[in-house]
Amino acid sequence: MIADEFKGMKAVVVAAAQGVGPAVVDALVAAGARVAVDEPCGGEAVLVEPDAAVAFLDRVEAALGGLDLLVISARPVRNKPVLSIGADEFREVVETDLLAPAFLMQEAGRRMAARGHGRIVVFASMSAKTGAHHNVGPFAAAKGGLLAFVRVMASELAEHGVTVNGIATALFEPQVATMTEERRNTLVKGIPVGRFGRSEEAAHAVLYLASRNSGFVTGECLNLSGGRFMD
């Protein structure tokens, strides 16, 4: 990355207190970006009250003076067997993990395209690509739809100087921290690199996809799985 390239960048991180969100916020602030968040997560970011996409981004731009980067972190997974989840629960997951992020991406994309530059980075899940995890049917379906939307937006916005990419994580420290030692030991055996992912590794992936050097990368989903999943 080019030295000081993030100084003055105007970024918003959504679901900022969830998963790897705090690490992403810290990395952007440390790199010199001005950062807004929708949830308290400590540090020097500006807290903006959540709202519908248009109103929320209006407040973000008023606070920062513009918008160059949108990052959507991953919210907690609701675990339930696919045959047991009710229609209302299914709709809630799709609303939270597909529709709300998609509307935000759409509105951010409009603003960035009008200015001729921008970066959108969305956290997904390996379950969206593999379907290999039990009890996460609606979540996997929503995240799979989100990755499809990433590719469509990337195709349509490329000519306007806007890149849109995803990051699929699997078994990161924030997710496994509450597991028993026995469960952690069992899971880590299935990861070729021999450990779980670290939040700062996800944050540096965001920095790359937000950097000038990533301008030829769009419509992709970067796997952060320690070699557990490859495509």
Side-chain angles (χ1 to χ4, degrees):
M1 288 177 284
I2 301 171
D4 298 332
E5 72 167 295
F6 288 94
K7 284 192 174 179
M9 175 181 281
K10 303 166 184 70
V12 59
V13 180
V14 177
Q18 311 298 323
V20 300
V24 172
V25 173
D26 289 345
L28 286 168
V29 170
R34 298 190 62 198
V35 183
V37 295
D38 65 331
E39 300 172 337
C41 59
E44 302 175 22
V46 178
L47 180 62
V48 176
E49 183 180 354
D51 205 334
V54 173
F56 176 66
L57 291 182
D58 280 347
R59 286 200 288 270
V60 166
E61 292 200 289
L64 301 181
L67 179 62
D68 303 306
L69 169 65
L70 166 66
V71 180
I72 302 179
S73 186
R75 296 187 182 276
V77 181
R78 177 179 296 178
N79 296 316
K80 201 168 188 179
V82 71
L83 298 183
S84 301
I85 194 161
D88 288 342
E89 293 174 297
F90 205 129
R91 290 188 186 96
E92 183 182 353
V93 173
V94 171
E95 173 68 35
T96 300
D97 292 306
L98 173 57
L99 296 182
F103 291 146
L104 197 57
M105 292 164 63
Q106 180 188 43
E107 181 59 27
R110 286 193 186 103
R111 299 172 190 228
M112 293 173 180
R115 295 166 187 152
H117 68 88
R119 298 282 190 267
I120 297 174
V121 181
V122 182
F123 277 90
S125 167
M126 282 297 165
S127 62
K129 304 183 77 172
T130 69
H133 302 97
H134 291 180
N135 301 336
V136 294
F139 177 80
K143 289 295 188 179
L146 194 61
L147 289 181
F149 193 63
V150 162
R151 291 189 288 270
V152 172
M153 279 199 69
S155 178
E156 294 189 7
L157 298 185
E159 64 181 292
H160 301 289
V162 181
T163 65
V164 187
N165 289 289
I167 298 175
T169 57
L171 297 175
F172 266 58
E173 287 293 349
Q175 175 189 359
V176 301
T178 58
M179 293 180 180
T180 65
E181 183 176 358
E182 180 181 6
R183 178 62 174 159
R184 287 168 59 95
N185 290 340
T186 298
L187 289 173
V188 81
K189 291 177 183 177
I191 303 174
V193 302
R195 63 174 176 82
F196 299 115
R198 304 185 183 108
S199 293
E200 58 268 26
E201 292 172 314
H204 281 283
V206 171
L207 290 181
Y208 167 66
L209 291 174
S211 72
R212 296 171 194 166
N213 288 334
S214 71
F216 204 58
V217 180
T218 194
E220 295 296 330
C221 183
L222 177 61
N223 293 342
L224 297 185
S225 70
R228 190 179 181 201
F229 300 105
M230 304 180 190
D231 61 9

